[in-house]
Amino acid sequence: MLNLANPFTSNNFDVTASIQSSANRCLPTQALNDTALVAEGGGQRGIFTAGVLDSWLHAGFNPFDLLIGTSAGAQNLSSYMTCQKGFGRNSITSLSRDPKFFNLSRTLIGKHAVDLDWYFDQVEKADNQLNIGCGEERLRSRQLLFTATKADDNSAAFFAPKRDNWLTLLKASSALPILYKKGVKIDNEYYVDGGVAAPVPVEEAYLRGAKRIVVIRTVPKDSAIQSPWAHKLKSVLCNDKRCPKVLDLITHHENAYQRTLDFIAQPPSDVEIVQIHPQQALTSRLVGSRPEWLNTDYALGFQAGLNFLQQDNQHSIKHGAF
């Protein structure tokens, strides 16, 4: 019997205590073959995904043998695999709102507008540290992949994290082009945000053998294809030589997104795709979200996760799946 009570509705919820207690309960769980979870990015809109995954951690639900995340989705899947309920929420509401993290004017003096170096330095500190050892233990029976985009040709890359490169791969998956300058160097190649080439890597999950795919989106199901961060950059930077690069990124991202939507709309006959998404546009933004917006969207995600568990419990009874 799934315990669907919501411990996050209380204003007195202690994120740090929840992270610690969840880590202590981290035990391997059995994964079902050919079952995948895909998590979209979206910057601070990833607070919705954090809510979904926290509801599943609270219920002890993780049947997936393949998990693929892009950018903020990769970060949320990390805390899901390390059993750290509240970790993703705390990272978004605290770290990503810190003035040290984002300052667009820094590009004018040759620095990162999005300071991922500072961000992941904070993640490595004791109070915010991912329990990567727990994640490695759980990955004995499943595979976790982070998407990134090869900077020189905009091709998609998929990396399996290990203890010694976990945070580096997360940084690469989250490195917004231009906002984080050249990107992240891995094996003599530079990589940027996975959302450029693989914003919602559903097809990759299918190509790797998944027959049942759950997709967590951070936009409503029928949202128009758009790259708000890239269009904002276009308006700011089109007076210098970087404008053609921005335009190329916009086009590449939007083409990739359209291919994904087409695949979801008309998948192969041997795969089932289930989407979890907000019913309307989230209040949260890529960056610059207010605390009350984030709290509201987190609650929406948590409830969406509970709704999925209730519906999927009935599916399991009927079909013996999940």
Side-chain angles (χ1 to χ4, degrees):
M1 179 70 68
L2 292 174
N3 179 6
L4 300 181
N6 186 342
F8 296 96
T9 56
S10 169
N11 291 330
N12 297 320
F13 173 64
D14 187 335
V15 171
T16 301
S18 178
I19 291 173
Q20 292 172 344
S21 63
S22 295
N24 292 335
R25 294 196 306 270
C26 181
L27 296 172
T29 57
Q30 184 175 0
L32 296 178
N33 292 335
D34 305 330
T35 302
L37 175 63
V38 172
E40 182 176 20
Q44 290 177 341
R45 292 195 302 269
I47 197 73
F48 177 84
T49 304
V52 172
L53 296 179
D54 277 355
S55 75
W56 292 356
L57 283 175
H58 180 63
F61 177 81
N62 184 351
F64 309 102
D65 70 344
L66 173 63
L67 304 94
I68 310 179
T70 296
S71 194
Q75 295 186 46
N76 277 314
L77 288 185
S78 291
S79 59
Y80 184 49
M81 287 304 304
T82 59
C83 309
Q84 289 173 278
K85 195 165 49 180
F87 186 97
R89 181 191 193 189
N90 189 51
S91 297
I92 293 172
T93 58
S94 178
L95 294 182
S96 78
R97 293 191 65 256
D98 193 295
K100 298 183 184 68
F101 176 64
F102 176 72
N103 186 337
L104 190 59
S105 66
R106 288 197 294 250
T107 60
L108 301 177
I109 57 175
K111 295 185 178 181
H112 302 301
V114 174
D115 194 345
L116 291 177
D117 299 327
W118 172 86
Y119 179 93
F120 283 104
D121 282 346
Q122 307 312 303
V123 170
E124 282 191 290
K125 292 182 178 179
D127 290 343
N128 300 313
Q129 194 171 43
L130 272 174
N131 188 351
I132 294 175
C134 172
E136 286 189 317
E137 185 178 0
R138 291 172 68 85
L139 287 174
R140 293 178 183 177
S141 61
R142 64 196 81 209
Q143 184 177 28
L144 174 64
L145 298 174
F146 302 152
T147 68
T149 302
K150 195 174 178 182
D152 63 356
D153 63 4
N154 290 336
S155 61
F158 299 89
F159 295 102
K162 297 179 181 179
R163 185 185 296 265
D164 62 348
N165 68 0
W166 198 299
L167 295 183
T168 298
L169 296 181
L170 279 181
K171 186 187 293 188
S173 185
S174 306
L176 287 168
I178 299 175
L179 293 181
Y180 187 74
K181 299 176 75 173
K182 291 183 178 180
V184 176
K185 192 174 184 180
I186 301 173
D187 296 332
N188 296 319
E189 299 283 355
Y190 283 94
Y191 293 87
V192 297
D193 193 295
V196 174
V200 192
V202 180
E203 188 170 5
E204 183 66 24
Y206 174 71
L207 293 174
R208 290 175 181 262
K211 301 303 181 186
R212 293 180 297 276
I213 305 173
V214 177
V215 187
I216 305 177
R217 306 278 303 280
T218 54
V219 295
K221 182 178 179 180
D222 299 321
S223 294
I225 306 167
Q226 55 181 342
S227 309
W229 62 269
H231 286 285
K232 177 65 174 178
L233 283 176
K234 178 182 176 182
S235 68
V236 172
L237 299 175
C238 265
N239 290 328
D240 65 30
K241 295 180 181 179
R242 285 179 288 187
C243 186
K245 177 65 173 178
V246 173
L247 292 174
D248 180 56
L249 292 171
I250 293 172
T251 301
H252 197 86
H253 168 83
E254 294 183 348
N255 288 343
Y257 212 113
Q258 184 59 61
R259 288 194 299 272
T260 296
L261 294 183
D262 292 343
F263 184 85
I264 292 174
Q266 294 185 313
S269 60
D270 60 342
V271 63
E272 175 190 8
I273 299 176
V274 179
Q275 295 189 73
I276 300 173
H277 54 80
Q279 297 302 311
Q280 58 188 30
L282 297 174
T283 310
S284 303
R285 303 171 179 173
L286 182 74
V287 291
S289 304
R290 296 179 181 176
E292 60 269 27
W293 299 349
L294 295 170
N295 289 334
T296 296
D297 291 343
Y298 175 85
L300 290 174
F302 200 103
Q303 188 59 54
L306 295 181
N307 292 343
F308 175 85
L309 291 179
Q310 291 171 332
Q311 296 165 5
D312 202 59
N313 196 32
Q314 295 301 314
H315 176 92
S316 299
I317 293 172
K318 290 179 180 179
H319 303 285
F322 287 0

